[in-house]
Amino acid sequence: MKTITAISLLLISLCFSAQNAPIKVSVTDFKNSPISGEQIQFINSVNKKTYSGISSADGRFNISLPGGFIYQIKIKSIGKARDYSSFDIPAIGQNQMYIENTVQIMIEQPKSFTLENVLFDTGKSSLKPSSHKELDELVGLLKHKPKMKIEIAGHTDNIGNAASNLQLSTDRAHSVHLYLIKNGINKNRLTAKGYGDLQPIASNENEESRKLNRRTEIRVLEN
């Protein structure tokens, strides 16, 4: 994924000290169009404390970070946060403070992603309780991005009857669809479709590859 971080840090001498640096964050695509609903994390390299903000309709948010540390920037979506970049907020003296600190984050929004930890009972469409955490993250993402419309795509491996696999994948996609609706997502933003074993991403030659093919994929139809 292409990434660019533009950072400006200015210091001015005053008669008092300020320990936190006010950061103005701007999140855009590579055409400089603002992106809303992106959760950006700043992780302190020393104590690992995480600070985060969510971009508004104009792609911006403000955050205050303790100075004198390097911060790892991550983009939080579904599952594990994606590494983006890092930047240093230098320490300041007793008679200095931070002003006009800006960070521009440029990202390419994914067109699709797989729900890694959404699992079903064997041969059934019933969701395992362990799936709820990742589905709740998906609910949060959709609430932060109220214009986003998605397709929930169910997939199976090639074991068994093709027609049965198609029906199972469809039922599983509808289970996720129902979970999202029950948790406050408008059904008009959601499409559920099963593809059975027709769109494998691995060979199906062994259990490890078949596991990759048994997946629930989210395809972004509209942002």
Side-chain angles (χ1 to χ4, degrees):
M1 180 182 69
K2 298 183 296 183
T3 60
I4 296 176
T5 306
I7 299 169
S8 171
L9 293 173
L10 303 179
L11 304 179
I12 187 170
S13 295
L14 291 177
C15 60
F16 59 93
S17 69
Q19 298 301 316
N20 282 10
I23 309 290
K24 296 180 179 180
V25 183
S26 173
V27 185
T28 70
D29 62 19
F30 287 92
K31 295 181 180 179
N32 283 319
S33 297
I35 301 176
S36 65
E38 290 292 335
Q39 183 178 351
I40 309 298
Q41 297 179 333
F42 297 85
I43 303 174
N44 187 303
S45 61
V46 175
N47 59 23
K48 305 304 178 184
K49 185 173 181 179
T50 298
Y51 304 81
S52 63
I54 297 173
S55 58
S56 61
D58 64 358
R60 301 177 184 275
F61 67 88
N62 296 329
I63 195 167
S64 180
L65 301 175
F69 299 99
I70 295 174
Y71 288 86
Q72 179 71 36
I73 302 175
K74 291 179 177 285
I75 301 169
K76 183 71 175 76
S77 183
I78 307 299
K80 186 178 180 181
R82 308 194 309 273
D83 289 334
Y84 179 79
S85 184
S86 63
F87 77 107
D88 181 16
I89 301 178
I92 59 175
Q94 287 294 319
N95 297 316
Q96 292 181 311
M97 71 172 293
Y98 300 99
I99 65 168
E100 297 181 1
N101 307 297
T102 63
V103 174
Q104 182 179 12
I105 296 175
M106 302 179 75
I107 62 176
E108 185 175 0
Q109 298 185 89
K111 299 298 183 184
S112 65
F113 51 89
T114 297
L115 299 176
E116 302 288 350
N117 298 302
V118 171
L119 304 172
F120 302 87
D121 294 322
T122 302
K124 299 179 180 180
S125 61
S126 50
L127 287 160
K128 290 188 174 182
S130 59
S131 303
H132 295 175
K133 181 178 183 297
E134 192 152 306
L135 288 176
D136 289 342
E137 290 181 349
L138 179 57
V139 169
L141 174 68
L142 291 168
K143 288 182 177 180
H144 292 321
K145 294 178 174 289
K147 295 182 180 179
M148 180 180 281
K149 294 182 179 181
I150 63 171
E151 177 188 288
I152 306 155
H155 301 271
T156 68
D157 58 31
N158 67 348
I159 300 300
N161 179 273
S164 297
N165 287 339
L166 181 60
Q167 185 61 55
L168 178 61
S169 67
T170 300
D171 292 343
R172 287 178 170 179
H174 279 289
S175 291
V176 173
H177 180 268
L178 182 60
Y179 186 95
L180 298 180
I181 292 172
K182 285 183 175 179
N183 284 275
I185 305 303
N186 190 308
K187 65 179 181 180
N188 294 327
R189 301 172 60 193
L190 309 173
T191 300
K193 187 173 181 179
Y195 292 89
D197 56 15
L198 298 177
Q199 296 183 0
I201 57 173
S203 67
N204 275 316
E205 292 179 354
N206 52 57
E207 176 54 28
E208 184 176 352
S209 63
R210 288 193 292 272
K211 185 178 179 180
L212 294 174
N213 291 329
R214 298 191 297 268
R215 68 196 190 279
T216 301
E217 188 179 11
I218 301 300
R219 298 174 178 176
V220 180
L221 304 177
E222 184 178 326
N223 272 312

